[in-house]
Amino acid sequence: MRKVARYLLIAIVAVIVISALVFVWAMQREIDVSAPEARAELVKAMTLGCKVRLPEVMKTAQLNRTLQPNEMHEVCGCAVERIIESHAVAGKIRPSDVPESDIDAAELACLQEKTAQ
């Protein structure tokens, strides 16, 4: 029983370490956003991240209203496009090179544009 537990623990630790390495590798690689399928995949991932962070951005903007899912999608789509357009050098972007402050600024600007309409 102890051997099984030991091997199970080793397997769990190995999975965690491998997952961390894959994550770090993914953040360091350049993504060619000039290819439509790569751009679509990046937009999908960045939109999901934006939707997760949007309630915090709304608190920062001191908005007391809630957004509908389609409004959240529009705000996040706007922010993602701004980030890609401003940080994609020669059609390539490296996610780790985009400063958090730029992401926050793009999300806040798009949120303010959407709520002003």
Side-chain angles (χ1 to χ4, degrees), residues 38-109:
R39 185 181 183 103
E41 192 68 32
L42 179 66
V43 166
K44 182 179 174 184
M46 289 178 72
T47 301
L48 177 62
C50 173
K51 286 180 182 179
V52 169
R53 294 171 30 100
L54 202 55
E56 186 176 320
V57 173
M58 290 177 66
K59 285 180 188 175
T60 303
Q62 297 177 345
L63 292 175
N64 294 329
R65 96 176 247 246
T66 58
L67 294 177
Q68 298 298 321
N70 62 337
E71 293 174 317
M72 289 177 74
H73 190 73
E74 289 176 19
V75 168
C76 289
C78 168
V80 167
E81 288 301 320
R82 283 186 185 200
I83 292 166
I84 290 174
E85 293 304 318
S86 64
H87 288 83
V89 179
K92 296 185 179 189
I93 190 169
R94 184 174 291 176
S96 61
D97 289 347
V98 180
E100 198 73 28
S101 59
D102 290 357
I103 295 171
D104 291 343
E107 290 173 352
L108 187 59

Side-chain angles (χ1 to χ4, degrees), residues 25-41:
W25 170 79
M27 290 301 290
Q28 295 299 321
R29 69 185 176 101
E30 282 188 340
I31 300 170
D32 184 9
V33 292
S34 60
E37 57 278 349
R39 185 181 183 103
E41 192 68 32

